[in-house]
Amino acid sequence: MSLHFSKFHLVCGYAASGKSTLAQQLARDHGAIVLSEDQWLSALFEEELHSLADYVRCTARLRRALGPHVMALLQAKQAVVMDFAANTVEARAWLVGLAQEASVTPTLHFLDVPQEVCWRRAQARNQAGSHEFQLSKDQFDKLASHFERPDEVEGFDLVLLQSDQV
């Protein structure tokens, strides 16, 4: 897989599409640090996360806390991989805003993996207990229903990865 050079990497795709795995690979390839939304949410808000509304509320708090830190890292020329689900226009706008304030162009890696494949991966991950959060089919479907395909006009360089590349 060809990995685009950038100082600020974003990941996008359905739950269990391979975003975290790709984030780790990007970090190795670019000497970057990874900031993982799931790890932070689990550590800070595990007891508060019971619904999609809880996720939205807690991730907004996390963004407010981490935003200045991310900008400082980028301004210090540190490569950063945001393992945050950049799955909506609103989520991507926040990330692109950070990049603009730090005067860097973000690269969005879109893992275009079919929902059925991702759901099978989520089930396997649930059974293995290898992820911070267990997803029910209903939760997976709700998250998927909010997904918005990315478009370069949003302000990033786009790298499209098909399911056979992840």
Side-chain angles (χ1 to χ4, degrees):
M1 149 181 15
S2 170
L3 299 177
H4 186 271
F5 178 78
S6 176
K7 285 286 185 193
F8 194 38
H9 296 272
L10 317 174
V11 293
C12 174
Y14 293 115
S17 63
K19 295 183 298 294
S20 294
T21 301
L22 177 61
Q24 292 300 320
Q25 180 180 348
L26 289 166
R28 284 189 305 274
D29 291 349
H30 296 283
I33 63 163
V34 176
L35 295 175
S36 168
E37 180 180 39
D38 288 340
Q39 288 177 353
W40 282 90
L41 288 173
S42 176
L44 296 172
F45 306 113
E46 183 175 20
E47 300 301 318
E48 299 177 48
L49 291 169
H50 305 288
S51 68
L52 186 56
D54 293 338
Y55 164 79
V56 170
R57 178 179 44 79
C58 291
T59 202
R61 290 169 60 192
L62 182 60
R63 287 179 188 178
R64 284 192 304 275
L66 282 182
H69 180 63
V70 172
M71 284 189 301
L73 289 169
L74 293 170
Q75 289 168 339
K77 308 298 184 213
Q78 171 62 54
V80 177
V81 178
M82 294 295 287
D83 186 7
F84 277 54
N87 290 346
T88 64
V89 171
E90 185 270 329
R92 292 188 294 268
W94 172 69
L95 292 161
V96 169
L98 294 176
Q100 289 171 340
E101 288 205 40
S103 300
V104 299
T105 300
T107 299
L108 178 76
H109 302 265
F110 172 32
L111 292 92
D112 193 11
V113 179
Q115 282 186 48
E116 314 78 56
V117 172
C118 294
W119 171 239
R120 284 194 302 273
R121 290 178 182 176
Q123 287 176 299
R125 192 169 74 182
N126 285 349
Q127 289 177 347
S130 60
H131 194 269
E132 289 86 354
F133 299 106
Q134 300 270 313
L135 280 178
S136 69
K137 179 67 167 135
D138 184 56
Q139 290 167 324
F140 178 88
D141 290 342
K142 281 183 183 169
L143 287 171
S145 74
H146 291 279
F147 183 83
E148 298 172 295
R149 289 184 72 84
D151 188 315
E152 283 180 287
V153 299
E154 295 175 57
F156 44 75
D157 292 335
L158 181 63
V159 176
L160 177 64
L161 301 166
Q162 301 292 331
S163 60
D164 61 344
Q165 296 174 289
V166 269

